[in-house]
């Protein structure tokens, strides 16, 4: 339900995009990246992927909210990929201060988990860059990895009348040659925000966390799907 609200708030109608769901649930997540280098310089990004959607025979992710800590990243993200980017301070910290649960074994460290604290004007991620429990490092096969994740974007509202000012777009996001891949238990999300963002973040259930280190991300050219 929250995924449907996230789509309607950004103006695509049900005949433009369909939400893929099972038992009333769709697939989404939080996507956090620290770009050490890019054409516009280093910056951080946290995206709220609120739904898995489909158009004709194409399937992709839909990001309802994207936070970046660079004005240029917001401008070019909207211009070339139709992304709903908002500029806000983003802080990544390596430590996580979540307390251990009593039933957990004493040898199991809770600081492997990530804690997202998201408000309307700031994002903080604790437990950043932890390796998790299972990982591979220095694997030549990982360095050969090149995976494309299709995404939909666009339909950004016009500030003057609220109508759509950009077409529906589709673009590939490629993950190329990671050095390390790890998986861990999902952490917690603390939401100090109002409206739609709060509904999305509190309406789902976190399953797991995938951490990828030292990787190239490449956003391909966007294609107009529907104007």
């Amino acid at each position: 339900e929250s995924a449907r609200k996230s789509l309607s708030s950004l103006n695509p109608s049900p005949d433009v995009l369909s939400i893929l769901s099972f038992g009333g649930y769709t697939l989404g997540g939080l996507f956090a990246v620290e770009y050490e280098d890019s054409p516009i310089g280093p910056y951080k990004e946290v995206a709220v992927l609120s739904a898995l959607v489909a158009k004709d025979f194409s399937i992709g992710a839909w990001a309802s909210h994207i936070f970046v800590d660079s004005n240029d990243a917001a401008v070019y993200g909207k211009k070339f990929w139709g992304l709903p980017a908002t500029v806000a301070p983003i802080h990544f910290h390596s430590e996580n201060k979540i307390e251990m649960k009593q039933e957990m074994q004493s040898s199991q460290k809770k600081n492997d988990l990530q804690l997202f604290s998201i408000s309307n004007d700031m994002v903080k991620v604790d437990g950043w860059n932890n390796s998790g429990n299972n990982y591979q490092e220095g694997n030549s096969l990982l360095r050969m990895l090149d995976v494309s994740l299709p995404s939909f974007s666009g339909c950004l509202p016009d500030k003057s009348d609220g109508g759509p000012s950009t077409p529906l777009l589709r673009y590939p996001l490629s993950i190329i040659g990671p050095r390390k891949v790890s998986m861990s238990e999902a952490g917690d999300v603390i939401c100090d925000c109002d409206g739609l963002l709060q509904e999305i973040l509190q309406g789902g259930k976190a399953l797991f966390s995938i951490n990828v280190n030292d990787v190239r991300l490449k956003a391909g050219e966007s294609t107009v799907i529907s104007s």
Side-chain angles (χ1 to χ4, degrees):
E1 180 66 23
S2 61
R4 293 187 183 278
K5 292 179 180 178
S6 73
L7 287 175
S8 62
S9 70
L10 295 180
N11 292 293
S13 59
D15 60 334
V16 174
L17 281 177
S18 300
I19 298 176
L20 300 180
S21 63
F22 179 77
Y25 287 91
T26 186
L27 182 64
L30 291 172
F31 180 76
V33 187
E34 184 173 16
Y35 295 97
E36 296 181 348
D37 187 26
S38 79
I40 58 173
Y43 70 96
K44 301 182 184 72
E45 174 184 342
V46 174
V48 180
L49 307 178
S50 56
L52 186 65
V53 297
K55 171 66 175 176
D56 297 330
F57 297 102
S58 299
I59 298 175
W62 179 267
S64 59
H65 300 77
I66 295 179
F67 298 93
V68 293
D69 63 356
S70 162
N71 288 322
D72 285 344
V75 170
Y76 290 113
K78 292 177 182 178
K79 179 179 179 180
F80 293 110
W81 293 282
L83 298 175
T86 300
V87 180
I90 299 177
H91 305 287
F92 291 163
H93 301 288
S94 59
E95 295 183 354
N96 193 337
K97 299 180 181 180
I98 301 178
E99 294 182 356
M100 292 279 290
K101 295 181 180 179
Q102 293 182 355
E103 66 268 23
M104 296 183 68
Q105 297 179 359
S106 59
S107 60
Q108 192 174 11
K109 295 183 179 180
K110 190 71 173 180
N111 63 4
D112 278 341
L113 306 187
Q114 291 180 343
L115 170 65
F116 284 81
S117 301
I118 300 178
S119 66
N120 290 321
D121 54 7
M122 188 187 73
V123 178
K124 184 174 71 171
V125 181
D126 291 318
W128 181 251
N129 204 31
N130 284 329
S131 62
N133 299 322
N134 303 299
Y135 67 88
Q136 299 181 13
E137 185 172 5
N139 190 319
S140 60
L141 293 179
L142 281 179
R143 283 301 192 180
M144 297 172 60
L145 184 68
D146 188 342
V147 178
S148 181
L149 305 177
S151 300
F152 289 97
S153 60
C155 295
L156 299 180
D158 187 287
K159 292 183 178 180
S160 59
D161 60 10
S165 60
T166 62
L168 176 66
L169 305 174
R170 186 174 185 271
Y171 69 95
L173 178 64
S174 298
I175 299 177
I176 305 170
R179 178 178 60 86
K180 179 192 297 184
V181 176
S182 64
M183 180 178 293
S184 63
E185 179 185 348
D188 295 331
V189 178
I190 297 176
C191 180
D192 184 19
C193 49
D194 300 321
L196 174 66
L197 181 56
Q198 184 179 42
E199 293 180 15
I200 294 173
L201 294 176
Q202 295 183 347
K205 177 178 176 58
L207 300 177
F208 54 84
S209 174
I210 298 177
N211 309 299
V212 183
N213 295 78
D214 190 15
V215 63
R216 286 183 59 206
L217 293 180
K218 179 181 178 182
E221 184 177 354
S222 59
T223 303
V224 175
I225 301 298
S226 177
S227 56

